[in-house]
Amino acid sequence: MYAVIETGGKQYRVQAGDVVSVEKLGLLEGEKYDFDKVLMVAGENGVTAGKPYVEGAVVKATVVEEGRGKKVVVYKYRPKKGSARKNGHRQAFTKLVIDEIIA
């Protein structure tokens, strides 16, 4: 059984036991979280697609860690102008383990 969930403006295909990194949710390690924005559920009794979400479907997950990703360096350079700018960015994330899918 798998489901497609929506969080942080993105969609993820998940099934029980998966480890997923999503946009930062602001939770502590070990906390439980329920995704109620379930777009689709597929299992032994077929596929159920929502309009836009599946009624009564919930994906339960446990927080493994919160952190920040690798640094991405942004370097802007303008030739013949003597102008350059360097900037860095680290995206915050929450890593979750999917416990179960309730359809």
Side-chain angles (χ1 to χ4, degrees), residues 20-72:
V20 184
S21 288
V22 299
E23 296 291 321
K24 184 177 177 182
L25 297 173
L27 302 171
L28 297 175
E29 189 174 318
E31 278 190 64
K32 305 285 185 185
Y33 188 77
D34 294 342
F35 292 100
D36 55 349
K37 292 184 176 180
V38 180
L39 301 168
M40 186 183 84
V41 177
E44 54 274 349
N45 53 352
V47 176
T48 306
K51 298 179 184 175
Y53 305 117
V54 179
E55 291 290 325
V58 176
V59 175
K60 295 183 177 275
T62 305
V63 177
V64 176
E65 71 170 310
E66 280 212 345
R68 294 168 71 194
K70 287 190 166 189
K71 180 176 272 192
V72 177

Side-chain angles (χ1 to χ4, degrees), residues 64-81:
V64 176
E65 71 170 310
E66 280 212 345
R68 294 168 71 194
K70 287 190 166 189
K71 180 176 272 192
V72 177
V73 177
V74 180
Y75 191 78
K76 293 188 178 185
Y77 173 74
R78 292 168 199 84
K80 303 181 201 140
K81 304 291 182 195

